[in-house]
Amino acid sequence: MTTIIPSYIQGSWFTPETDAGARLVRDAATGEPIARVSSAGLDLAGALHYARTVGQASLGQLTFHERALLLKQMAQALTARKSELYELSSRTGATKNDSMVDIDGGIGVLFTYSSKGRREMPNTTVYLDGPVEPLSKDGSFSGRHIYTRLPGVAVQINAFNFPVWGSLEKFAPAFLAGVPTLVKPATPTGYVSEAFVRILAESGLLPEGSLQLVSGALPGLFENLRLGDLVAFTGSASTAESLRSHDAVLTGGVRFTSETDSINASVLGPDAVVGTPEFDAFVRQAVAEITSKAGQKCTAIRRMIVPNGAVDDLIGALATRIAERIVVGDPRAEGVSMGPLVSLEQRGDVLAQAGRLVAGGGEVVIGTVEPRAGVGAYVEPIVLRFADNRADAVHSIEAFGPVSSVLGYETVAEAVELVARGGGSLVTSIATHDPAVAVELVTGMAAYNGRVLMLDRDDARTSTGHGSPVPHLVHGGPGRAGGGEELGGIRAVLHHMQRTAIQGSPDLLTAVTGVWHAGATAANTGTHPFRKSLADLAIGDQVVSGLRTVTLDDIEHFANFTGDTFYAHMDEEAAAANPFFPGRVAHGYLLVSWGAGLFVDPEPGPVLANYGLENLRFLTPVSPEDSIRVTLTAKQITPRVTDEYGEVRWDAVLHNQNDETVATYDVLTLVAKEGAWV
Ligand code: NDP
């Protein structure tokens, strides 16, 4: 008797009392029953409510950095127990390498979002988008854009092919945004997802309600979704279509994105003839994409688009490499490099689709579309050749297994047109060492792709590969690829947030954003801000210096000392002929250096280091006998969650004796969190 895979709902595990209607899941290689899957009796409306109340509340107490740190700890907890996941993963037909992509790849997404969250987001709960937009002459009314998290739940419906990575790629950005997740893995491999959720639940790291798991179907779920919720779907175009047309999405304001079938391409450049490193790299990559995960990858290469003269060479090279390198079998057996498909149903589906490709004009040149005898959902690698490169079938039929087709092209422009015929893809790779070919291909087809990988002799060894989405870059594509953007660094976090334009006075903009705005209240508290640790420092703490006069001697001294004897500082006639200067002027770097001298408090104290300047602009030239002063204001305070110090961004403005703005910039410092200095 097999067990029923439980769900993790409202903070505890739920197993249906009856197995009526439960779906049986089998080992992909041996056909042995593994478990049954059912969500019968599950209170889905209650789960959504729990996420929106308890989950939102617990995540809302954490800043971006605190959430990011938890993601890292979760990655460590999963790493410590990943052998359990590998064990289960092999039952899905995955080889060790396939499992690595799924399990280590998924853990890697958590690590990446953890570090990106702490480096690229503020340690608050509001994310700023773009600069201040001045809307009044005197600065009393301005606008800006902010992102705040969506108030609902992120429902993530996943495909069977990556039960760990597929879930974590969506969970990480949702969690960082502060939106609780309800994940629904695909039935055939949901037992692996259940295992990683169990590890996370047992780690004690999950804020209450931040992650729930539904093993099995989601009856009635969409009826309970509402504005503020979002759905991220991965799977077939037909399921996506039916979910997308639900009222909750059409008129209820539920954000819906999908990642569906994608007829990805790989283009061999006209320069990449047999014997070039690019041809070899193309072949290696193509065989890897056909066989890894037995071709059950949304990013796998379905169309190899190559110069007409290279078609035979390519097919020969593919056949040789497949014969030499690929051993199909039980992934637990020694030496096996390609496992079975996930299930017999999936095998039937893949062979039927391959049959449709044949009916649509494809000639099988490697492998066979006939089912292999015996147990296990095995399919040998299949390569088809299309004499008619515009045949509809090759651009529209996805056989979700180790199946790929070869098409010839005459000109680069024709290659671009063929890529576009896929109707929108997740990824296209090109193999060329010719910059002109790369420019024509990439600019022509980028709009039809979520990602384009350029392969040549210089990056062939270090390339992450055509089929591997990386968390830093967009994963998703236009058109039939579904329009999603599941990864892409902070972009994917922002997908879980609402962008809102806010308008108001400097004080209110400061209060809402946590960033000091010019014109907002600023205070000279009597204690120099460089004497305050983060515990005492406040946004708006300010130093205003006295004036310092610049002489010609100062300019010449600086010029000779630094070697910067540019004519604008040294040659009166040449400087005066320059449209920007009245005559010789002070170096901008001299003024910025003086700015530091004017605002600094020199004794040892909580300010540990100056780590740079940002947004430096020189606005008004400074002539000999002009004077400058500096105003330095604490603009943004970002304590680091893992360190005893944090970052302070200071707003710096240099003025001249006429109160004209000479320069503006941000000074970046590291400041101790605690400690007393006098
Ligand atoms: P499905 O679209 O059938 O399933 C995808 C996910 O949607 C599964 O979790 C499934 O759950 C769930 N689902 C199905 N119906 C509903 C519904 N009415 N309401 C809510 N959730 C639902 O795709 P498959 O996984 O079966 O794969 C079929 C095809 O999809 C493949 O052959 C391939 O062409 C494509 N595919 C594309 C992928 C991609 O990344 N782009 C990845 C995998 C597949 P359950 O499993 O419980 O039915």
Side-chain angles (χ1 to χ4, degrees):
M1 193 63 172
T2 53
T3 52
I4 299 185
I5 304 292
S7 295
Y8 184 64
I9 291 294
Q10 302 195 36
S12 52
W13 292 94
F14 171 89
T15 308
E17 284 169 9
T18 160
D19 66 355
R23 285 162 67 184
L24 183 64
V25 174
R26 294 176 182 276
D27 185 294
T30 64
E32 189 193 333
I34 296 177
R36 283 159 302 147
V37 180
S38 166
S39 60
L42 203 64
D43 177 11
L44 284 172
L48 294 176
H49 181 71
Y50 186 73
R52 292 189 196 112
T53 51
V54 178
Q56 279 275 337
S58 63
L59 283 168
Q61 286 168 8
L62 304 173
T63 63
F64 294 122
H65 288 200
E66 288 165 338
R67 292 175 204 145
L69 187 62
L70 279 172
L71 286 179
K72 180 177 177 184
Q73 291 164 344
M74 288 180 209
Q76 289 164 336
L78 289 170
T79 303
R81 291 177 61 182
K82 72 180 177 186
S83 59
E84 298 167 37
L85 300 174
Y86 269 80
E87 178 99 22
L88 289 172
S89 177
S90 64
R91 308 203 74 180
T92 69
T95 62
K96 205 159 182 190
N97 276 345
D98 296 338
S99 298
M100 201 167 74
V101 174
D102 187 32
I103 297 164
D104 289 278
I107 293 171
V109 170
L110 297 185
F111 276 124
T112 303
Y113 271 93
S114 176
S115 81
K116 286 186 102 50
R118 282 176 288 146
R119 271 188 290 113
E120 297 174 31
M121 301 187 84
N123 194 9
T124 59
T125 55
V126 173
Y127 183 86
L128 294 178
D129 176 38
V132 177
E133 300 289 348
L135 299 171
S136 62
K137 278 205 165 129
D138 65 356
S140 62
F141 186 68
S142 308
R144 94 161 299 184
H145 293 92
I146 60 168
Y147 278 95
T148 54
R149 65 183 174 148
L150 292 181
V153 50
V155 175
Q156 297 157 3
I157 302 174
N158 291 324
F160 64 78
N161 51 350
F162 290 107
V164 179
W165 176 84
S167 303
L168 293 179
E169 68 153 347
K170 293 172 181 166
F171 169 72
F175 186 88
L176 196 47
V179 179
T181 286
L182 186 140
V183 60
K184 182 247 171 301
T187 292
T189 56
Y191 55 94
V192 189
S193 311
E194 187 259 0
F196 94 72
V197 171
R198 188 173 289 279
I199 293 172
L200 292 183
E202 288 174 2
S203 73
L205 293 167
L206 289 173
E208 229 182 322
S210 58
L211 176 62
Q212 299 182 84
L213 166 84
V214 176
S215 299
L218 299 171
L221 180 104
F222 272 67
E223 283 72 21
N224 285 290
L225 295 181
R226 63 188 197 206
L227 181 66
D229 296 332
L230 63 164
V231 176
F233 171 84
T234 304
S236 64
S238 56
T239 309
E241 207 47 51
S242 79
L243 298 180
R244 190 195 299 278
S245 57
H246 199 283
D247 279 351
V249 178
L250 289 182
T251 55
V254 171
R255 209 174 268 186
F256 182 92
T257 51
S258 64
E259 193 209 291
T260 52
D261 315 351
S262 174
I263 317 292
N264 311 294
S266 188
V267 180
L268 186 68
D271 56 306
V273 295
V274 180
T276 60
E278 285 72 31
F279 182 87
D280 296 341
F282 183 94
V283 171
R284 279 199 302 275
Q285 177 178 265
V287 172
E289 290 304 320
I290 292 168
T291 57
S292 86
K293 202 76 195 175
Q296 299 166 110
K297 287 202 309 192
C298 50
T299 49
I301 297 169
R302 303 296 172 204
R303 297 172 295 159
M304 292 176 270
I305 299 174
V306 306
N308 282 325
V311 168
D312 290 332
D313 290 333
L314 175 68
I315 291 170
L318 291 172
T320 303
R321 192 166 175 89
I322 288 172
E324 285 173 359
R325 299 282 180 131
I326 303 305
V327 179
V328 179
D330 187 322
R332 287 155 291 212
E334 201 58 42
V336 165
S337 52
M338 183 175 124
L341 299 182
V342 73
S343 64
L344 288 174
E345 294 76 25
Q346 195 59 24
R347 182 177 74 163
D349 196 49
V350 167
L351 294 178
Q353 292 291 78
R356 288 179 61 210
L357 284 167
V358 172
E363 173 201 356
V364 177
V365 290
I366 297 175
T368 169
V369 296
E370 296 306 318
R372 176 166 138 170
V375 291
Y378 295 105
V379 175
E380 301 286 338
I382 299 170
V383 175
L384 302 107
R385 171 189 192 144
F386 275 80
D388 175 5
N389 65 7
R390 288 179 171 74
D392 272 352
V394 72
H395 300 293
S396 61
I397 296 172
E398 183 194 44
F400 201 68
V403 183
S404 193
S405 302
V406 181
L407 324 176
Y409 72 83
E410 203 51 49
T411 62
V412 173
E414 187 184 12
V416 168
E417 187 217 317
L418 293 173
V419 170
R421 279 180 177 252
S425 301
L426 292 170
V427 53
T428 291
S429 54
I430 64 173
T432 180
H433 196 50
D434 181 339
V437 171
V439 169
E440 188 174 352
L441 281 172
V442 174
T443 55
M445 68 185 186
Y448 297 94
N449 286 277
R451 177 165 61 90
V452 176
L453 184 146
M454 296 181 277
L455 189 64
D456 71 0
R457 64 197 65 184
D458 297 330
D459 66 12
R461 281 181 163 278
T462 50
S463 161
T464 47
H466 169 106
S468 303
V470 291
H472 321 65
L473 301 180
V474 163
H475 176 50
R480 71 172 289 166
E485 204 171 271
E486 286 171 5
L487 294 172
I490 301 308
R491 290 173 196 85
V493 179
L494 301 181
H495 173 69
H496 297 82
M497 307 181 80
Q498 177 65 42
R499 182 169 49 200
T500 306
I502 57 167
Q503 297 168 277
S505 63
D507 272 336
L508 294 187
L509 290 173
T510 296
V512 170
T513 61
V515 175
W516 185 82
H517 282 64
T521 305
N524 177 348
T525 61
T527 304
H528 191 287
F530 276 26
R531 310 243 47 85
K532 295 182 182 181
S533 68
L534 295 192
D536 298 321
L537 190 69
I539 302 272
D541 279 358
Q542 192 174 69
V543 184
V544 182
S545 80
L547 286 167
R548 179 171 178 180
T549 304
V550 186
T551 66
L552 201 55
D553 271 357
D554 292 326
I555 296 173
E556 290 188 349
H557 174 73
F558 190 82
N560 292 324
F561 178 54
T562 62
D564 180 356
T565 52
F566 189 60
Y567 72 87
H569 315 301
M570 302 303 282
D571 181 337
E572 184 63 32
E573 203 180 326
N578 180 309
F580 296 104
F581 303 125
R584 293 174 71 177
V585 294
H587 303 68
Y589 300 133
L590 164 64
L591 303 175
V592 168
S593 303
W594 276 18
L598 289 167
F599 67 59
V600 77
D601 180 280
E603 296 305 316
V607 177
L608 306 172
N610 169 352
Y611 72 98
L613 300 182
E614 275 183 8
N615 311 321
L616 174 60
R617 286 288 178 278
F618 297 119
L619 301 168
T620 308
V622 171
S623 304
E625 302 313 320
D626 281 347
S627 303
I628 62 156
R629 63 181 172 84
V630 68
T631 305
L632 186 81
T633 313
K635 183 173 185 177
Q636 188 174 20
I637 301 174
T638 308
R640 288 197 182 168
V641 280
T642 46
D643 296 306
E644 292 309 307
Y645 56 87
E647 294 156 21
V648 178
R649 175 181 292 267
W650 306 84
D651 181 88
V653 185
L654 297 181
H655 288 104
N656 64 16
Q657 69 280 4
N658 302 320
D659 289 336
E660 291 165 319
T661 304
V662 167
T664 57
Y665 50 104
D666 288 354
V667 177
L668 310 174
T669 58
L670 299 177
V671 177
K673 282 182 178 169
E674 306 278 349
W677 287 268
V678 274

